[in-house]
Amino acid sequence: MNNDNSNDKEVDLYQFTHIRAYHACRPLNIQNYLINGIQTINRAQALREALLRIKSDYIDEKKIVQEFSKQWGDFADIHKRVWMAVNKEVLLTYAGHYLIYGSEFINELAMKLGCRSSLKNAGIPTIFHCDIPLEDISSSTVMEIETLIMSGY
């Protein structure tokens, strides 16, 4: 009987120079991503996006700005980061809402304003793949990815 289990093999990502990761989003203009890259959300950018995506006949700019100001301070910094997945299927299965509604903050803001479904009509569902240099990834994250690979995730 062969006891060779592929999940028992060691994984050493440091034999590579890059890791491919995937980012799901719903940009209004893909060119902005191609020119400026994927960036963390900041207050000014988030407010512009909110006004472009949420403003309508029944939700005016003043109401958006009021709710935005309340929500921005409460929105945890961890959600203002760029999130990626090394497994595209996992991204689609567990984070497909980014393709449907866009950013976490805009999604939450639209829910508070009662217009989340309108986000389905704003932007283009997009998955970017990025080849990230290993030197830009913390060693603890690399170890976590190696463990996930070995577990078959």
Side-chain angles (χ1 to χ4, degrees):
M1 183 172 153
N2 186 351
N3 288 329
D4 182 29
N5 183 345
S6 61
N7 292 343
D8 292 338
K9 294 181 181 175
E10 281 291 314
V11 174
D12 179 12
L13 291 178
Y14 288 107
Q15 65 183 322
F16 303 99
T17 58
H18 293 72
I19 293 177
R20 176 153 293 174
Y22 301 90
H23 177 74
C25 54
R26 196 172 178 99
L28 295 172
N29 181 345
I30 292 175
Q31 277 304 114
N32 288 341
Y33 275 73
L34 298 176
I35 293 168
N36 301 315
I38 298 170
Q39 301 177 348
T40 57
I41 193 168
N42 64 58
R43 186 181 177 93
Q45 171 201 15
L47 181 56
R48 271 193 309 277
E49 288 283 320
L51 292 171
L52 288 169
R53 292 172 186 268
I54 298 173
K55 190 176 172 185
S56 68
D57 291 338
Y58 63 97
I59 301 177
D60 64 13
E61 184 172 326
K62 183 179 177 184
K63 188 172 184 176
I64 294 168
V65 171
Q66 277 180 324
E67 190 62 36
F68 179 95
S69 296
K70 281 194 266 183
Q71 297 301 319
W72 184 258
D74 293 340
F75 198 61
D77 285 341
I78 195 165
H79 295 299
K80 296 174 185 172
R81 298 179 183 168
V82 172
W83 288 94
M84 302 187 120
V86 294
N87 183 320
K88 188 166 42 172
E89 295 307 314
V90 170
L91 179 69
L92 291 169
T93 302
Y94 298 104
H97 61 283
Y98 294 110
L99 295 169
I100 299 167
Y101 303 109
S103 84
E104 197 81 34
F105 179 75
I106 301 295
N107 185 13
E108 185 173 321
L109 182 62
M111 281 193 286
K112 296 283 185 184
L113 292 167
C115 62
R116 181 183 190 210
S117 63
S118 67
L119 294 178
K120 294 177 182 180
N121 301 317
I124 304 157
T126 306
I127 296 178
F128 288 102
H129 76 262
C130 306
D131 294 329
I132 304 170
L134 273 172
E135 63 193 32
D136 292 346
I137 303 171
S138 72
S139 59
S140 61
T141 299
V142 171
M143 287 177 16
E144 185 178 333
I145 294 168
E146 289 172 339
T147 301
L148 289 170
I149 292 170
M150 287 188 295
S151 71
Y153 193 65

